[in-house]
Amino acid sequence: MTNDTNVTQFTQKRDCSLCNLSEICLPEGLTPDEMGTLDSIIKRRKPKQKGEFIFRDGDTFTSLYAVRSGSVKTFATGNDGSTMVTGFHLSGEILGLEGINCKQHVGNAKALETTSICEIPFNQLSALGQDIPKLQQQVFRVLSNEIGQEQQVMLLLGKKSSEERIASFLLRLASRYHTRGFAAKEFNLSMSRSDIANYLGLAVETVSRIFTRLTKQGIVNINRKLVMINDESALRDIANEPQPDTDKKRTNS
Amino acid sequence: MTNDTNVTQFTQKRDCSLCNLSEICLPEGLTPDEMGTLDSIIKRRKPKQKGEFIFRDGDTFTSLYAVRSGSVKTFATGNDGSTMVTGFHLSGEILGLEGINCKQHVGNAKALETTSICEIPFNQLSALGQDIPKLQQQVFRVLSNEIGQEQQVMLLLGKKSSEERIASFLLRLASRYHTRGFAAKEFNLSMSRSDIANYLGLAVETVSRIFTRLTKQGIVNINRKLVMINDESALRDIANEPQPDTDKKRTNS
DNA sequence: AATGTTGATTGATCTATATCAAATATTTAT
DNA sequence: ATAAATATTTGATATAGATCAATCAACATT
């Protein structure tokens, strides 16, 4: 269970009153008034330290969580004790959607670094959705988006080679580091190699090997936690993903 | 695009006025009145023949689809022309949730056999959700459930051996054939071996081999399309899934 | 600074599963 | 019914990536 009940006890980052929610949930525009109402139900929490849990498997589901800064991993614990990373969540992303269905969280969420989190009580959000159709639509959209994201990962796990997986992973991460505008050319891996390996269904050694290989080829530059993407186009080729220019060409060779 | 605009042109199965929706969406109970309103927005369609599309990648998203009888596969078409099965949908299940987010379907859905489908215009459903909180909650729940399901598949694809995948697949299928009550001991595989292989991230040959192996071991009996599960417990062992009695034992060896 | 601990890299094998190839079986078309 | 096309099974071989093992680098503790 989350053990901090002290809300708004710190003052930093107050500026962003919507906890980055505006970036995820509200692009289609609510009135300032509606924004205010939404804002009023969102709780700021004391930042989580590296390794701290946001929620645990089996916790009663009450809220969604929005990552303001930092990053989070979600993972399931198999019946045989094994742990399996199901996702990484960066600044501006939403957490805990799996819990809506069964009223308790299925899976754990843990901070990968010092991480600022907002809590959005789901009952209140849902009630608010009754009054503000736009908001309800946005919540639907966030859920649907998650489904789409996961299908992408299924594809990745089901049919892609280890190299393709790593390339996809890096590209996706880069694009998520700059949601708006362009993908980051340089960013930090907040998660360990073994987290990455686990998430991608690979062995740590394989991840490491491919990181060094791609670095030697000059396509990226991965040093410890720092990733720099030198040749995005080449990386996309490896990932078998279309070039952003080649956009919607479908019926080609 | 779906090309049949003739609604309610046939009379069979009229009895089930909610298109099985009651099983998925409404266990928590709406008033008969609310049920009626919901019913009024649902459109019955002419049954789809084997191979017919329910929707295609890129189609504008207008509706969710509920499978009344028969079965459907959903699949994505990669930029390289490859096709990847993302799911199977049996009677009583809902289709098209991925479309909510981007207003167009991402992926295709095709009938695996003669299949009866209901169409639920999403705008109307969403509007109805504004008035009926219970309904809105249920839609949230369906979406969240889909997320949970997909995480299960991610686990399967990421960490399980071919034998574990097949065993899991069969168990899940069996349990879905009898949503209420017990899992079916016997059922029909409406999808081809290669669909199964594709879905599970395996080669057709591997699927075939494991089917025959499991049959020789007497655990199941798979003949052509007919599956009979003789030893569910053994199958669960192979799948590394907890026995239904061993229910929620977590802190054991 | 020295020492221990944990995480990352690199190399050497081994194996599960893909791939290739061919034989049956089943469905569809003529 | 017969033939052609397609799907499934079975066997032989190849290989991507896991596993095992050792070293190396980073960080924490005394």
Side-chain angles (χ1 to χ4, degrees), chain A residues 79 86 97-98 101 126 129-130 133 136 139-141 143-145 147 150-151 154 157 159 198 240 242, chain B residues 79 86 97-98 101 126 129-130 133 136 139-141 143-145 147 150-151 154 157 159 198 240 242:
Chain A
N79 18 66
T86 50
L97 299 167
E98 24 62 51
N101 180 42
S126 183
Q130 300 291 335
Q136 194 209 35
V139 178
F140 280 141
R141 206 162 288 153
L143 282 159
S144 175
N145 185 49
I147 293 172
E150 287 187 359
Q151 285 193 358
M154 282 170 53
L157 292 172
K159 344 270 171 196
N198 192 307
N240 258 315
Chain B
N79 17 67
T86 51
L97 300 167
E98 24 62 51
N101 181 42
S126 183
Q130 299 291 336
Q136 194 209 35
V139 178
F140 280 141
R141 206 163 288 153
L143 281 158
S144 175
N145 185 49
I147 293 173
E150 286 187 358
Q151 285 193 357
M154 281 169 55
L157 291 172
K159 345 271 172 196
N198 193 305
N240 259 315

Side-chain angles (χ1 to χ4, degrees), chain B residues 116-136:
Chain B
S116 176
I117 300 274
C118 279
E119 195 179 326
I120 312 161
F122 185 70
N123 279 343
Q124 294 179 48
L125 180 66
S126 183
L128 217 55
Q130 299 291 336
D131 300 330
I132 313 175
K134 280 271 178 210
L135 179 62
Q136 194 209 35

Side-chain angles (χ1 to χ4, degrees), chain A residues 158-188:
Chain A
K159 344 270 171 196
K160 293 197 172 188
S161 73
S162 55
E163 208 173 33
E164 288 171 317
R165 291 181 203 194
I166 301 270
S168 284
F169 174 73
L170 291 174
L171 285 167
R172 158 153 296 280
L173 220 50
S175 80
R176 283 157 69 196
Y177 265 107
H178 250 191
T179 323
R180 221 154 280 286
F182 298 100
K185 293 276 173 270
E186 192 176 341
F187 56 89
N188 246 57

Side-chain angles (χ1 to χ4, degrees), chain A residues 52-67:
Chain A
E52 259 190 276
F53 280 91
I54 299 29
F55 55 79
R56 287 189 144 90
D57 196 31
D59 278 3
T60 33
F61 168 79
T62 56
S63 301
L64 299 178
Y65 300 90
V67 182

Side-chain angles (χ1 to χ4, degrees), chain B residues 86-97:
Chain B
T86 51
F88 301 110
H89 305 264
L90 311 181
S91 161
E93 296 177 347
I94 287 207
L95 221 68
L97 300 167

